Amino acid sequence: MPGYMEIAEQLATLIDKRVLRSGDRIPSVRQATGSHHVNPGTILRAYRELETRGLIESRPRSGYYVRPTAPRSVPEAGRSIPPSRSTMVVTDELIVELVHSMSRPHVITFGLDILKPDLLPNEDINRAAARVARRLNPSRIISAMPPGDPVLRRLLAKRYIDYGCAIDSEDIVVTSGGREAVLVALRSVTSPGDTVAIESPNAWPLLGALAGLGLRVKEIPTHPQTGMDIAALEQAYQSTAIAACLVQPTFQSPLGSRMPDDNKRLLLKLSAHHRVPIIEDDRVSVLYLDGHRPRPLKAFDRAGLVLHCGSLAECISHAYKIGWIASGPYRAGVEKTKILLSLSASAGDQAIMAEYLAHQPVERNFRRLRLAVAARRDAMILAISEDFPAGCQMTYPTGGFSLWVEMPAGTNSLRLYEFALAKGVSIAPGPMCSARRSYLNCMRLNYGYSSVQQIRDGVRTLAELIPKASSQL
Amino acid sequence: MPGYMEIAEQLATLIDKRVLRSGDRIPSVRQATGSHHVNPGTILRAYRELETRGLIESRPRSGYYVRPTAPRSVPEAGRSIPPSRSTMVVTDELIVELVHSMSRPHVITFGLDILKPDLLPNEDINRAAARVARRLNPSRIISAMPPGDPVLRRLLAKRYIDYGCAIDSEDIVVTSGGREAVLVALRSVTSPGDTVAIESPNAWPLLGALAGLGLRVKEIPTHPQTGMDIAALEQAYQSTAIAACLVQPTFQSPLGSRMPDDNKRLLLKLSAHHRVPIIEDDRVSVLYLDGHRPRPLKAFDRAGLVLHCGSLAECISHAYKIGWIASGPYRAGVEKTKILLSLSASAGDQAIMAEYLAHQPVERNFRRLRLAVAARRDAMILAISEDFPAGCQMTYPTGGFSLWVEMPAGTNSLRLYEFALAKGVSIAPGPMCSARRSYLNCMRLNYGYSSVQQIRDGVRTLAELIPKASSQL
C-alpha cells in the first residue's frame, strides 16, 4: 500500500468508528506532515483520496473537516436496469400539484426543482432592472431578436473563459431560461419519434420536456458519484439508433453526481465515433459546494459535438428568465428552432441580465449563495443520517441543490408523498424521476428551498412517515 | 330594390366611375337624409352596406370617406385548392433571413410579422418597469408560477368584459407571449402526428410552430373578407380525423380577413358536433382600424370548446412578453402543458404588464396605435393601387397589420424576395404562408413596421421589380 493510502486508511477507519465525527476538524496538512514524517504532497494526496470517497471536505481558509455523514451511495442494486427497448415518457399530474403546493403557506418544499427565490440577489437584480427601465428603447428591442442581445451574448461568452472554454459570442443563442435552452437544443437535433439517451434517474422537468417533444428515451444507468455510466451508454449507441445524448455532467439532478474529466473525454470520444450530438444541461455548475468549479463537457469538446445549455434563471433570477445555448456547428439550426418556437426571449429580461452581469457583484453573490446552500445541504445530510430509519441510503452531492434517497424495499414513495403533503412537506417521489416510473422506493429532496430549521423539521416529519408508507399496507 | 340599396348603388357607381375618389368625403348622414328625403336609418343602412363592401369607411368625429382603393379581393381562382391529404409542414430558412434583415440598416421591412416597436407605448412601459423594479420581491416570484400572477390574471379577465365575454381569472393561464400561448394550447389538445385544421394562407410563425410540434395540417380555403370557409371545414371534419381547429377569426394573418358573427356561430356548432376543440389565435384584435372591435369567437362559445389565446406582446410591448390562454374546461391540461414546457412566464414581465394595465393609459395608447397603423395601411393600399402593375390584386384588411397581394400568374415571389432584399425591401413570399409552399405568385406585406414614406418607397421598389420576377426568366 503506498504511503498516502496508509494515511488515508487510518483516517477512514477513525471516521468509520466514529472517533472522528461529522464536523470534526482533521489535522492540517502542515501538522500531518510533521506527524507522519512525509512530505506535504503525500498528505495532500491522502486527503484528496478521502475527499474523493466523500469522507472529508476542505473549507477555504479553514482546513479539512469530517463530513456530516459517511457517504452512502445508492448501491448497484438501486440503479435502474436499462430497459431493453426505448420508452415513451409518461408525465405526471404530481408536477402540477408540486408547483401549486409551493405557494401554499406552511409547506416545506423539498419536491420542487428550483432554489428559494429569497436566496437570489433580488436587490441587485432590482437595481439592474431599474437602470434598464430608465433607458430601454426600441432599438434595443430589435437587437434582442435571435440570436439575442449582443451585449448580453458578449458577457456570456466572457464568462466561459473562467471555465476553460473559448466561446465566440456569435456561437451563443439566447433563450427564455435554461429549460427552453434544453428544449430548443433537443428540437434542433431531433425529430418526434427519435430516441434520446438520458441519465436515470432524471429531473422531472426534463422528462416532461422530452414527452412534450414526442421523443422516446433510452434511460442509461447512472452512478451516484460519477454520473452517466459510459459503458452502458456505449451499449446503447451500439444497440439503438440514438439521435442525441442529453446529459448533466455537473451536479446531475436528482443524484447530484459529478462526472470525472476522464469520463467526459470518453463520452465525447464515443459520441464522436457514433456521430451523436450531446446536449449538455449545465444550469447549476456555479453551485459547486466543495472545492472548485468543474469544467463543463464543452471545455473538452474538440469535435464540436456539444450543445452547451446554460442559464441565469436558476442561480441569479427566476423573475427575469434568461438561458442560452453555445452550440458551435449547430448554431444555425439552433437559432432557427428558437425563432420558430418563440421568436425572441424577452428583450427586457435580456437587457436586465446584461446590466446585472456587467455592473453588479456577480461573483460575490454566487459565493454567498454557495455558502447558504452548502449550509442547507449539510443540515439535510446530518438530519437524514440522524433521523431516517435504518435501510435508508442517500447520495452526497458536491454541488447543485438536490439529493436522492433510497428507502427500504417495499417503501412506496407515492404514498409517502401523500402522507407528507398532508403534514406540510413536499417531496418528489422516485417515479417522477423516471420515464418508466421506476424507483418507487426512492425520492428526490431539494435542500435549496428551505431554511435550516425547516429542513430539520421536514426531515423529521419524513422520518416518522417512511415506515408507514409501505407498499404492503 | 329597397330604398337603402338604391342609395348604396348610386354611390357605388360614382365610386366605380371615379367621380368619387379615394379620400373624398361623402355626404354626412344628416346631409344625405335631407337630399334623399328618407329617414336617417335608411342612410345608415346604405352606408353600412358600402362599408361592408369595403367602398367607404367612417372616421370617428369626421364622417364617411371613400377608401383609398376599391377592394380587390383575391378571387376564387387564387384560393388554395384544399390538399386531398394532410401534409407535414415544411419550414423555411427564409424566416431566419427575415429576422436578420430587420436589424440591418436601410431595410424597409414588409416581411416580418411584428409591429414596429417605435409605435408601442415604450415610455409608459418603462415607467411601469421602473415601478416594478423598486418593489419586486421573492413572494411575487412565487405567485407568478403557473397559472400566473393573480394580479395580472384578474386584470386580463376584466378586459374580457369589454368583448362581451365573462371569463373567470381562474380560467386564465399566463404564457411568455402570444405565440407560446398558441403553442401551449396546441400541445395541450393534440399529440405529435395529429392533424390540425388551419386557414390557408396562414402566418408563417404558426406554420413553424405546427411543424415543431410534429403536427400535420389540413389547409382550409379562406376568404379574403370572411375568413375560414366553414363549408370546407365541415368537409374536412367529415373526411379527416381533425384533432383541433386553429383559427384567427379577427384579422387573420396574412389576409386580414374578419369572420362574420354568423360564421362564428356555425363554426362553433360544427366543431361541437364533431367534438373538435378550437384554438382561437386572437393577438391583434385591439388593432381594429375601422368601426369597432369584433367580438372574439370565445364570446359565442357556450360549449366550452374554445381555447382563447391572447397577447400583450404584439400591441403593447415586445420587450416584456406576455400572452395568455383562457380555456374553460381545458384549463387543467393547459396549465400542465405550460408547466412542462417552460414552468413559468417571467415573473418580472408579468409584474410589469400588470402594473402597465392597472396604472397606465392603456386605451389611449391603443387609440394612438390604431391611428398610426390605419394611416400606414391607407398609405400602402394607395401606393399599391397607384404603382403596382396591372393584374395585381390585394386584400383590404379592416384590422391587423398585414395584407396579401396576388401578382399575375407566372410571378415568382421567391425571386421577388431576393431582388427586393438586394434593393433594401423585405417581403414574405407566398410559399412561406403555406404548408405546401403554394402561392408562388403571392406575398404578404406588413404595413405596421415602416413609416408612411418608407411604405411609399418600398411599394415603388416592389412595383418596379414585379415584372422582372417572372418564373419564366
Side-chain angles (χ1 to χ4, degrees):
Chain A
M1 192 183 289
Y4 81 91
M5 194 59 100
E6 270 182 28
I7 296 167
E9 284 301 333
Q10 278 181 13
L11 283 167
T13 309
L14 290 173
I15 292 167
D16 187 40
K17 295 195 178 301
R18 296 184 54 76
V19 176
L20 284 171
R21 298 194 184 182
S22 52
D24 283 352
R25 193 164 187 271
I26 64 167
S28 73
V29 175
R30 188 146 47 137
Q31 289 169 331
T33 305
S35 334
H36 291 279
H37 300 285
V38 295
N39 63 43
T42 305
I43 299 299
L44 278 171
R45 218 167 153 195
Y47 284 11
R48 169 98 43 193
E49 169 68 23
L50 292 170
E51 276 190 297
T52 305
R53 295 196 208 167
L55 293 172
I56 65 167
E57 62 184 334
S58 75
R59 297 185 190 162
R61 285 189 295 275
S62 173
Y64 290 86
Y65 292 81
V66 177
R67 277 194 164 159
T69 185
R72 298 191 283 182
S73 35
V74 178
E76 291 295 306
R79 295 188 326 174
S80 68
I81 294 142
S84 51
R85 291 172 306 145
S86 58
T87 39
M88 286 302 288
V89 177
V90 183
T91 56
D92 217 316
E93 309 304 319
L94 289 185
I95 295 176
V96 176
E97 202 172 306
L98 275 176
V99 170
H100 288 176
S101 73
M102 182 170 55
S103 55
R104 277 164 47 190
H106 315 306
V107 168
I108 297 176
T109 302
F110 294 157
L112 268 179
D113 202 14
I114 65 170
L115 285 173
K116 180 85 167 172
D118 308 68
L119 296 177
L120 303 182
N122 299 298
E123 283 182 27
D124 290 343
I125 294 291
N126 284 353
R127 207 165 290 132
R131 285 189 60 169
V132 166
R134 281 197 292 275
R135 59 179 171 70
L136 190 69
N137 62 49
S139 70
R140 188 80 184 249
I141 293 162
I142 298 300
S143 62
M145 290 282 163
D149 187 310
V151 179
L152 175 63
R153 288 159 70 220
R154 196 173 48 76
L155 289 162
L156 293 173
K158 276 174 71 183
R159 294 189 57 80
Y160 277 93
I161 298 168
D162 294 341
Y163 327 154
C165 277
I167 297 287
D168 187 346
S169 316
E170 284 303 309
D171 275 350
I172 291 178
V173 174
V174 177
T175 64
S176 308
R179 204 184 312 182
E180 194 191 74
V182 173
L183 198 76
V184 167
L186 275 169
R187 190 183 276 187
S188 68
V189 298
T190 66
S191 305
D194 280 354
T195 298
V196 176
I198 62 169
E199 294 129 334
S200 178
N202 213 305
W204 50 258
L206 287 184
L207 294 170
L210 288 156
L213 292 173
L215 293 167
R216 302 175 71 83
V217 298
K218 179 84 175 177
E219 297 187 88
I220 308 294
T222 301
H223 292 276
Q225 268 142 15
T226 59
M228 187 181 265
D229 185 319
I230 307 294
L233 179 68
E234 183 169 21
Q235 282 174 19
Y237 280 172
Q238 283 161 356
S239 65
T240 314
I242 302 286
C245 175
L246 170 60
V247 63
Q248 311 163 69
T250 308
F251 314 134
Q252 197 263 356
S253 171
L255 296 175
S257 61
R258 173 175 160 173
M259 188 180 283
D261 288 351
D262 283 345
N263 289 24
K264 291 176 190 162
R265 292 190 187 93
L266 202 53
L267 169 58
L268 285 164
K269 197 175 151 192
L270 276 176
S271 302
H273 179 70
H274 291 274
R275 297 164 189 257
V276 178
I278 302 172
I279 297 163
E280 179 178 19
D281 183 7
D282 190 17
R283 288 178 295 165
V284 293
S285 55
V286 295
L287 217 56
Y288 52 93
L289 304 178
D290 310 306
H292 49 260
R293 177 175 179 144
R295 276 192 291 170
L297 196 58
K298 185 75 183 166
F300 301 86
D301 177 29
R302 301 281 164 268
L305 274 182
V306 177
L307 295 92
H308 183 256
C309 299
S311 177
L312 308 177
E314 269 69 22
C315 300
I316 296 181
S317 172
H318 299 153
Y320 304 101
K321 282 171 69 182
I322 290 298
W324 73 93
I325 305 166
S327 51
Y330 298 100
R331 156 79 164 68
V334 163
E335 183 180 359
K336 184 175 135 186
T337 308
K338 168 62 184 150
I339 288 173
L340 294 177
L341 179 68
S342 57
L343 198 52
S344 76
S346 160
D349 292 15
Q350 292 187 62
I352 291 166
M353 281 302 111
E355 175 71 29
Y356 175 79
L357 292 179
H359 299 296
Q360 299 293 328
V362 179
E363 295 308 325
R364 193 173 71 207
N365 289 335
F366 279 149
R367 276 197 298 277
R368 269 195 204 140
L369 177 65
R370 284 192 290 266
L371 286 174
V373 175
R376 286 161 173 79
R377 174 199 59 184
D378 293 347
M380 184 175 274
I381 295 276
L382 188 62
I384 290 177
S385 47
E386 286 177 349
D387 295 345
F388 269 24
C392 288
Q393 298 190 299
M394 65 184 144
T395 59
Y396 190 106
T398 59
F401 50 89
S402 79
L403 58 79
W404 184 246
V405 178
E406 188 182 320
M407 295 172 286
T411 308
N412 183 336
S413 62
L414 293 168
R415 187 166 287 176
L416 179 63
Y417 169 83
E418 281 171 31
F419 292 173
L421 202 55
K423 296 267 186 190
V425 180
S426 83
I427 63 165
M432 283 180 71
C433 302
S434 155
R436 318 178 76 217
R437 299 180 181 251
S438 319
Y439 307 116
L440 188 61
N441 65 324
C442 300
M443 62 180 161
R444 173 200 193 278
L445 300 179
N446 174 349
Y447 47 78
Y449 200 86
S450 309
S451 68
V452 166
Q453 188 57 49
Q454 285 177 317
I455 287 173
R456 287 181 190 142
D457 295 346
V459 166
R460 194 165 305 123
T461 301
L462 293 178
E464 286 163 15
L465 295 172
I466 290 170
K468 298 175 189 160
S470 162
S471 289
Q472 279 88 48
L473 293 179
Chain B
M1 191 183 291
Y4 82 89
M5 193 60 99
E6 270 181 29
I7 296 167
E9 283 301 331
Q10 278 181 12
L11 283 167
T13 309
L14 289 174
I15 293 166
D16 186 39
K17 296 199 177 297
R18 295 182 59 73
V19 176
L20 284 170
R21 297 192 184 184
S22 51
D24 283 352
R25 193 164 188 271
I26 64 167
S28 72
V29 174
R30 188 149 43 137
Q31 287 169 333
T33 304
S35 334
H36 290 280
H37 299 285
V38 294
N39 63 44
T42 306
I43 299 297
L44 280 170
R45 219 168 153 194
Y47 285 10
R48 168 100 42 196
E49 169 69 23
L50 292 169
E51 276 190 296
T52 306
R53 296 195 208 165
L55 293 172
I56 66 168
E57 61 186 334
S58 75
R59 297 185 190 162
R61 285 190 294 278
S62 172
Y64 288 87
Y65 292 81
V66 177
R67 275 192 165 159
T69 186
R72 299 191 284 184
S73 35
V74 177
E76 291 295 304
R79 297 188 328 177
S80 67
I81 296 142
S84 51
R85 292 172 306 146
S86 57
T87 38
M88 287 301 289
V89 178
V90 183
T91 55
D92 217 316
E93 309 306 317
L94 289 184
I95 295 176
V96 177
E97 204 173 306
L98 275 176
V99 170
H100 287 175
S101 72
M102 184 170 54
S103 56
R104 277 163 47 190
H106 315 306
V107 168
I108 297 176
T109 301
F110 294 155
L112 268 179
D113 203 14
I114 65 170
L115 285 173
K116 182 83 166 175
D118 307 68
L119 296 177
L120 303 182
N122 299 297
E123 283 182 26
D124 290 343
I125 295 292
N126 284 353
R127 206 165 291 131
R131 283 188 62 169
V132 167
R134 280 196 292 274
R135 59 179 172 69
L136 190 69
N137 64 48
S139 71
R140 188 81 185 247
I141 293 161
I142 298 301
S143 63
M145 289 282 165
D149 188 309
V151 180
L152 175 63
R153 287 160 70 220
R154 196 174 48 76
L155 289 163
L156 293 173
K158 276 173 69 182
R159 293 189 57 78
Y160 276 94
I161 298 169
D162 293 341
Y163 327 153
C165 277
I167 298 286
D168 187 348
S169 317
E170 284 304 308
D171 275 349
I172 291 179
V173 174
V174 177
T175 64
S176 307
R179 207 184 311 183
E180 195 190 73
V182 173
L183 198 76
V184 168
L186 275 170
R187 190 183 276 186
S188 68
V189 297
T190 66
S191 304
D194 281 353
T195 299
V196 176
I198 62 169
E199 293 129 336
S200 178
N202 213 304
W204 49 259
L206 287 184
L207 294 170
L210 288 157
L213 293 173
L215 293 167
R216 302 176 71 82
V217 297
K218 179 84 172 175
E219 297 186 89
I220 309 294
T222 301
H223 292 277
Q225 269 143 14
T226 59
M228 188 180 265
D229 184 319
I230 307 295
L233 179 67
E234 183 169 22
Q235 283 175 18
Y237 280 173
Q238 283 162 356
S239 65
T240 314
I242 302 286
C245 175
L246 171 60
V247 62
Q248 310 162 68
T250 308
F251 315 134
Q252 196 263 357
S253 172
L255 295 175
S257 61
R258 172 175 162 174
M259 187 180 282
D261 288 351
D262 283 346
N263 289 24
K264 289 176 192 164
R265 292 191 188 93
L266 202 53
L267 170 58
L268 285 164
K269 197 176 151 193
L270 276 177
S271 302
H273 180 70
H274 291 275
R275 295 165 190 258
V276 178
I278 302 173
I279 296 163
E280 179 178 20
D281 184 7
D282 189 18
R283 286 177 296 163
V284 294
S285 54
V286 295
L287 219 55
Y288 53 93
L289 304 177
D290 309 308
H292 49 262
R293 178 175 179 144
R295 277 192 291 170
L297 196 58
K298 185 77 183 165
F300 301 85
D301 177 29
R302 302 278 164 270
L305 274 182
V306 177
L307 295 93
H308 183 254
C309 300
S311 177
L312 308 177
E314 270 68 22
C315 299
I316 296 182
S317 172
H318 299 150
Y320 304 101
K321 283 170 70 180
I322 290 299
W324 73 92
I325 305 168
S327 51
Y330 298 99
R331 156 81 164 65
V334 164
E335 183 180 0
K336 183 174 138 189
T337 308
K338 168 60 184 152
I339 288 173
L340 294 176
L341 179 69
S342 57
L343 199 51
S344 76
S346 160
D349 292 14
Q350 291 187 61
I352 291 165
M353 281 301 111
E355 175 71 28
Y356 175 79
L357 291 179
H359 298 298
Q360 298 293 329
V362 179
E363 294 307 325
R364 193 174 71 205
N365 288 335
F366 279 149
R367 276 198 297 277
R368 270 196 204 139
L369 177 65
R370 285 194 289 267
L371 286 174
V373 174
R376 283 161 174 79
R377 176 199 59 182
D378 294 346
M380 185 175 274
I381 294 274
L382 187 62
I384 290 177
S385 48
E386 285 178 351
D387 295 345
F388 270 24
C392 288
Q393 299 190 297
M394 64 184 146
T395 60
Y396 191 108
T398 58
F401 50 88
S402 78
L403 58 80
W404 183 249
V405 177
E406 188 183 321
M407 295 172 285
T411 309
N412 183 335
S413 62
L414 294 167
R415 188 166 286 175
L416 179 64
Y417 170 83
E418 281 173 30
F419 292 172
L421 202 54
K423 297 268 186 188
V425 180
S426 83
I427 62 165
M432 283 180 71
C433 301
S434 156
R436 318 178 75 217
R437 298 180 182 253
S438 320
Y439 307 114
L440 188 59
N441 64 324
C442 299
M443 63 180 162
R444 173 198 192 280
L445 299 180
N446 175 348
Y447 48 77
Y449 201 85
S450 310
S451 67
V452 166
Q453 188 57 49
Q454 284 178 318
I455 286 172
R456 287 180 189 142
D457 295 345
V459 166
R460 194 164 306 125
T461 301
L462 293 177
E464 285 163 14
L465 295 172
I466 289 170
K468 299 176 188 158
S470 162
S471 289
Q472 280 88 47
L473 293 179

